[in-house]
Amino acid sequence: MSIETPAATTASITINGDRLWQSLMQLAEIGAYDDAASGLTGINRQSLTDEDGDGRRLVIGWMKEAGLEVTVDQMGNIFGRREGTDPDASPVMAGSHIDTVATAGAFDGCLGVLGALEVIRSLNDAGLQTRRPIVIAAWTEEEGVRFGTDMLGSAVAAGRLTLDYAYDLTDKAGLRFGDELERIGFKGERSVRLEAPHAYVEAHIEQGPVLQQKGLTLGVVSGVQAISWQKVTLHGRAAHAGTTPTELRVDAGLAAAQIIVHVRAMVNSGRYGQLRATVGHVRTSPGLPSVVPDLAEITVDLRNPDDALMAEAEADLELFLAELPQTQPGLRVETKRMAKTTAVPFSDEIQDAIAAAADDLGHETIRLMSGAGHDAQEMAAITPTAMIFIRGQYDGISHNPREYSTPEDCTAGITVLAKTLQKLSA
Amino acid sequence: MSIETPAATTASITINGDRLWQSLMQLAEIGAYDDAASGLTGINRQSLTDEDGDGRRLVIGWMKEAGLEVTVDQMGNIFGRREGTDPDASPVMAGSHIDTVATAGAFDGCLGVLGALEVIRSLNDAGLQTRRPIVIAAWTEEEGVRFGTDMLGSAVAAGRLTLDYAYDLTDKAGLRFGDELERIGFKGERSVRLEAPHAYVEAHIEQGPVLQQKGLTLGVVSGVQAISWQKVTLHGRAAHAGTTPTELRVDAGLAAAQIIVHVRAMVNSGRYGQLRATVGHVRTSPGLPSVVPDLAEITVDLRNPDDALMAEAEADLELFLAELPQTQPGLRVETKRMAKTTAVPFSDEIQDAIAAAADDLGHETIRLMSGAGHDAQEMAAITPTAMIFIRGQYDGISHNPREYSTPEDCTAGITVLAKTLQKLSA
């Protein structure tokens, strides 16, 4: 794909940072609640709830005011199309999601959707046309907290999951996705299988500490890491801490600790590239100070931007677990895989377009991976895709009412989005 | 102390194993309940409950039937005295406790008291006199589960704790030890400060797996290990498992795991003699698979028969904890000591007397430490003391209705007790 840059369409537009911020704050009122833990206002606007319906209607209203042609597909994915001078050219798409987790802030997903909207509004203000159409996308059920599968709307649109699969998902109360979609009035007519756009760009908060730590506002995202979750259960033998000689023990807690230390050693060894390993959950039983634990459960979360190195890391762990009983004969090790996704690299050309746009606007950037999943990873299967990360305060805390990106940083990120979309739609 | 062995008093008596067993089973009916977890009958006869009162009256009745002079001291400790041919000689004492934990078996403590009773009954049957008197002791609140301090009755008798301290202890319901003692009618007249007997011998189930593992029935106990408990709390920083680089993490769960692995390494190094180390309790927070834990709590239980080596081990651990933040800057480590007792070695001469008696009777024995606390460790402060361990089935499980020693093993142990008491009282 070549990047054409006709002079007329790369006149740098400025975006209206105040208008962007006001839109974010207005959308944040829908599903707002008093969060006792933080003392702040949080947002609970989960997929296909009444609050989600209200949020969707608000955003559609803004899209129409901006002159966009709005369509809704069979998954409730919302598209707002701004025509280009060449109606046959495939569009450049930009978007994210407006559904939230139960204890959300105002920026996760919403910045990408309302940022794309602000680009459109600014192009309108400047009276600028693009050759290719520009389409905003707001994907359904990105978070996956209600119906159990994340990036649901974009995955069906890209053809990785089927409509029937999605419709039959149920929430904790047993309500069906398909029924709830209809209930809030968003079972659209448009066929869900998306014709591949020319490119897809998603602006999103980093949700991590790297940009803040490096003193940078923006990052160019090179892809989404492979993610692997397993639950490991260790079965030992309960015994009296005082009367049982060490050599006769089968200590499940010790085995769990050895695994935790080992996965960190795997990371530190450097043999597995940019592997990240986390044991977030540890539970031992019976949990009494003077009883050797006979049961321990841990979760092992591995991430790696390189699939081959991820496979080697998993093989290393598998071998370690198989050999563990040698140090404590009688130990039994059970594993259960809970999730596994392969790495999704983003398009070099779209990354370069973002980096060039940032550079033109005077912003230094770094390339970094996304540790979390995004709709962009689904889009990457059907079109050249990349993401812009915007710095988050407080180490990029997210899924928490303390989630916060400054107005200046949001403005910078969406200005780069604007220039990138201009370049790609020229 | 010299061991005299006049021929008349070392005629080997046999004990009545059936009578011993029946007494154990009859006492076990008091406080019996249906234990759902094991499907067996358990015993709940905690200190100074009505059930404890009933158990005391049953045993006192048996003592009187056996012709013993029964006294009860100010702590409710029960003594049954069999006169010797030399009324001025200090007595040989044998005993244990009949109070239980909430989920007990029939043998813990009871075997020592009813075993001593069976020795008396058998001496009576054989018409044998001893030079020194023999006194059975049944100590109050050995388990410590109701009023919070274990070996309470024997500790006050030995002068380590005061009567006022004991009387003012309260249970979870706020009831006072002194009041409950009076309520069940066991605030005795006899002064609690015990005149040192000539020797003290306690027969007890092992509550551990060593004798079973070695295929032996009996063990000679060389002392009680030093015991040290601490709670360690690690404070880290919660972070996203996917988006947070490893070098920016402060993982409290990893720190806890490093401690668990380290204390096992301390044991394996051999530098600390017969150190035993157990981390029975591990809890991490928030406990979510994709969040780096910001809090971890563990308990560290250390045991060592050698006080100097215990001190070195504790210093090693203290240094390790102090240095832990170097591997994860920002980590905060808190420790809180929960219990600490020094090692109590038993008398070599009493150990030898037990070993000789066992050998005379054809039983191979080993010397082993007690990993758990016993009334004997209190008696060791005022008189030459040792214990006989009797094998328990199922790895010596105790404090559990599955606790079980066979009739044959109980008989063997009490036969050795009999011969030992004969030797010491000669």
Side-chain angles (χ1 to χ4, degrees):
Chain A
M1 185 197 85
S2 68
I3 301 169
E4 300 161 2
T5 58
T9 53
T10 56
S12 282
I13 60 166
T14 54
I15 66 146
N16 187 327
D18 289 340
R19 181 171 57 193
L20 169 63
W21 191 259
Q22 277 166 41
S23 298
L24 283 165
M25 294 305 113
Q26 204 173 325
L27 179 57
E29 288 172 8
I30 300 177
Y33 73 95
D34 288 325
D35 185 78
S38 63
L40 302 170
T41 300
I43 298 150
N44 185 354
R45 201 172 56 238
Q46 291 179 59
S47 187
L48 310 187
T49 56
D50 291 343
E51 290 77 15
D52 183 34
D54 289 343
R56 288 162 172 268
R57 279 180 280 278
L58 178 66
V59 170
I60 285 174
W62 286 337
M63 285 181 176
K64 288 179 171 169
E65 283 169 24
L68 301 181
E69 179 202 349
V70 177
T71 52
V72 176
D73 74 11
Q74 295 162 302
M75 277 295 293
N77 297 322
I78 299 166
F79 303 96
R81 179 183 174 106
R82 184 181 197 261
E83 283 307 331
T85 56
D86 183 352
D88 296 327
S90 51
V92 172
M93 187 174 282
S96 194
H97 62 97
I98 62 168
D99 66 294
T100 75
V101 295
T103 56
F107 303 87
D108 180 359
C110 303
L111 181 55
V113 175
L114 299 182
L117 177 66
E118 178 50 38
V119 171
I120 300 290
R121 286 165 164 170
S122 297
L123 287 171
N124 290 348
D125 290 347
L128 285 171
Q129 288 305 306
T130 56
R131 183 173 73 87
R132 296 179 182 279
I134 296 179
V135 175
I136 302 174
W139 305 104
T140 296
E141 180 61 320
E142 188 276 348
E143 295 289 6
V145 291
R146 187 174 174 198
F147 294 96
T149 299
D150 50 4
M151 283 83 71
L152 186 64
S154 49
V156 177
R160 184 171 68 78
L161 299 174
T162 65
L163 200 59
D164 284 343
Y165 168 86
Y167 277 12
D168 285 337
L169 290 172
T170 55
D171 69 6
K172 285 198 197 57
L175 298 170
R176 242 178 111 260
F177 178 95
D179 299 336
E180 283 291 285
L181 187 62
E182 207 157 349
R183 186 185 70 81
I184 64 165
F186 278 89
K187 189 183 256 191
E189 298 293 317
R190 174 175 164 160
S191 167
V192 69
R193 279 305 296 276
L194 188 68
E195 224 177 279
H198 174 68
Y200 177 85
V201 186
E202 180 165 348
H204 202 289
I205 50 169
E206 179 196 345
Q207 297 176 305
V210 176
L211 292 176
Q212 181 173 34
Q213 208 240 5
K214 291 188 183 294
L216 297 173
T217 306
L218 304 174
V220 179
V221 189
S222 50
V224 177
Q225 301 184 80
I227 300 172
S228 157
W229 281 8
Q230 34 186 326
K231 184 162 109 169
V232 183
T233 307
L234 295 311
H235 298 273
R237 203 158 57 221
H240 192 293
T243 64
T244 313
T246 304
E247 62 272 16
L248 297 182
R249 299 183 181 199
V250 188
D251 186 333
L254 172 65
Q258 289 168 324
I259 297 169
I260 294 168
V261 169
H262 181 75
V263 295
R264 174 56 69 96
M266 283 167 55
V267 170
N268 289 345
S269 73
R271 280 198 307 276
Y272 307 108
Q274 294 171 75
L275 178 72
R276 287 175 186 165
T278 308
V279 175
H281 171 80
V282 184
R283 189 179 83 83
T284 63
S285 181
L288 301 173
S290 62
V291 181
V292 174
D294 63 350
L295 185 76
E297 286 173 1
I298 62 171
T299 53
V300 181
D301 174 317
L302 300 177
R303 312 239 175 171
N304 202 313
D306 183 307
D307 283 327
L309 293 176
M310 174 66 109
E312 285 178 36
E314 295 209 287
D316 181 317
L317 177 59
E318 198 179 339
L319 182 64
F320 184 81
L321 295 179
E323 293 181 338
L324 252 188
Q326 291 170 20
T327 60
Q328 295 199 86
L331 181 74
R332 197 160 60 80
V333 184
E334 268 183 80
T335 61
K336 180 175 168 177
R337 172 161 305 290
M338 299 170 64
K340 187 172 170 65
T341 54
T342 52
V344 178
F346 287 154
S347 153
D348 286 327
E349 286 167 298
I350 309 301
Q351 290 181 55
D352 289 344
I354 295 167
D359 188 58
D360 285 353
L361 290 162
H363 293 292
E364 182 189 344
T365 59
I366 53 165
R367 305 281 169 126
L368 75 170
M369 284 177 307
S370 175
H374 294 287
D375 295 306
Q377 76 190 65
E378 302 295 338
M379 286 297 106
I382 62 169
T383 186
T385 295
M387 294 179 74
I388 302 167
F389 268 171
I390 289 122
R391 172 172 55 191
Q393 299 298 307
Y394 316 121
D395 288 338
I397 190 172
S398 187
H399 289 191
N400 187 298
R402 292 167 74 219
E403 174 188 279
Y404 188 80
S405 292
T406 66
E408 296 72 28
D409 287 358
C410 292
T411 300
I414 301 309
T415 306
V416 169
L417 177 67
K419 195 161 183 81
T420 305
L421 295 181
Q422 278 185 279
K423 287 188 187 216
L424 295 176
S425 61
Chain B
M1 185 197 84
S2 69
I3 300 172
E4 300 159 4
T5 58
T9 53
T10 54
S12 279
I13 60 165
T14 54
I15 65 145
N16 187 328
D18 289 341
R19 182 170 57 193
L20 169 63
W21 191 261
Q22 277 167 42
S23 296
L24 282 164
M25 294 305 115
Q26 204 174 326
L27 178 57
E29 288 172 5
I30 299 176
Y33 72 95
D34 287 326
D35 185 78
S38 62
L40 302 170
T41 300
I43 298 149
N44 185 355
R45 200 172 57 238
Q46 292 180 59
S47 185
L48 309 188
T49 57
D50 290 344
E51 290 75 14
D52 183 35
D54 290 344
R56 289 162 172 268
R57 280 179 281 275
L58 178 65
V59 172
I60 284 174
W62 286 336
M63 286 182 175
K64 288 180 171 168
E65 280 169 24
L68 302 181
E69 177 201 350
V70 178
T71 51
V72 177
D73 72 13
Q74 294 161 305
M75 277 296 294
N77 297 320
I78 299 166
F79 302 97
R81 180 182 174 105
R82 186 181 197 262
E83 283 307 331
T85 55
D86 182 353
D88 297 325
S90 54
V92 172
M93 186 175 281
S96 192
H97 62 98
I98 63 167
D99 65 294
T100 75
V101 295
T103 55
F107 303 88
D108 180 357
C110 303
L111 182 56
V113 174
L114 299 181
L117 177 65
E118 178 53 38
V119 172
I120 300 289
R121 286 164 164 172
S122 297
L123 286 170
N124 289 347
D125 289 346
L128 285 172
Q129 288 306 305
T130 56
R131 185 175 70 88
R132 296 180 181 279
I134 296 180
V135 176
I136 301 175
W139 306 104
T140 297
E141 179 61 321
E142 187 276 348
E143 296 287 10
V145 290
R146 186 173 174 199
F147 294 96
T149 299
D150 49 3
M151 283 84 71
L152 185 64
S154 49
V156 177
R160 183 172 68 80
L161 299 174
T162 65
L163 200 59
D164 285 344
Y165 169 87
Y167 277 10
D168 285 337
L169 290 172
T170 55
D171 68 5
K172 285 199 198 57
L175 298 171
R176 241 175 113 261
F177 178 94
D179 298 338
E180 283 291 284
L181 188 61
E182 206 159 349
R183 185 186 71 81
I184 63 165
F186 277 90
K187 189 182 257 188
E189 297 294 316
R190 172 175 166 160
S191 167
V192 69
R193 280 306 296 274
L194 187 68
E195 222 177 281
H198 174 69
Y200 177 85
V201 185
E202 181 165 348
H204 203 290
I205 51 170
E206 180 197 344
Q207 299 176 304
V210 176
L211 292 176
Q212 181 175 34
Q213 207 242 5
K214 291 190 182 296
L216 296 173
T217 305
L218 304 175
V220 179
V221 190
S222 50
V224 178
Q225 303 184 80
I227 300 172
S228 156
W229 280 10
Q230 35 187 325
K231 185 162 109 169
V232 183
T233 307
L234 295 311
H235 298 274
R237 203 159 57 223
H240 192 294
T243 62
T244 312
T246 303
E247 62 272 16
L248 297 183
R249 300 182 181 202
V250 188
D251 186 332
L254 172 66
Q258 290 168 326
I259 297 168
I260 296 170
V261 168
H262 180 75
V263 296
R264 176 54 70 95
M266 281 167 56
V267 170
N268 289 345
S269 74
R271 282 200 304 277
Y272 306 108
Q274 294 172 74
L275 178 72
R276 287 175 185 163
T278 309
V279 174
H281 171 80
V282 184
R283 189 180 80 87
T284 63
S285 180
L288 299 174
S290 60
V291 180
V292 174
D294 63 353
L295 184 76
E297 287 173 359
I298 63 171
T299 54
V300 180
D301 174 314
L302 298 179
R303 312 240 174 171
N304 204 313
D306 183 308
D307 284 326
L309 293 176
M310 174 67 111
E312 285 178 37
E314 295 209 287
D316 181 317
L317 177 59
E318 197 179 338
L319 181 63
F320 183 82
L321 295 178
E323 293 181 338
L324 252 188
Q326 290 169 20
T327 61
Q328 294 198 87
L331 180 74
R332 196 160 60 79
V333 184
E334 269 182 82
T335 62
K336 180 177 168 173
R337 174 162 302 291
M338 298 170 66
K340 187 170 172 68
T341 54
T342 52
V344 178
F346 286 156
S347 152
D348 286 328
E349 286 170 296
I350 309 301
Q351 290 181 57
D352 290 345
I354 294 167
D359 188 57
D360 285 355
L361 290 162
H363 293 292
E364 183 189 344
T365 58
I366 54 168
R367 304 283 168 125
L368 73 171
M369 285 175 306
S370 174
H374 294 286
D375 293 306
Q377 76 191 67
E378 301 297 337
M379 285 297 106
I382 63 169
T383 186
T385 294
M387 294 179 73
I388 302 168
F389 267 171
I390 288 123
R391 171 170 57 190
Q393 299 298 307
Y394 317 121
D395 288 336
I397 188 172
S398 186
H399 289 191
N400 186 299
R402 292 168 72 218
E403 175 189 278
Y404 187 80
S405 292
T406 66
E408 295 73 28
D409 287 359
C410 291
T411 301
I414 300 310
T415 306
V416 169
L417 177 66
K419 195 162 184 80
T420 305
L421 294 181
Q422 280 187 274
K423 286 187 188 217
L424 295 175
S425 60

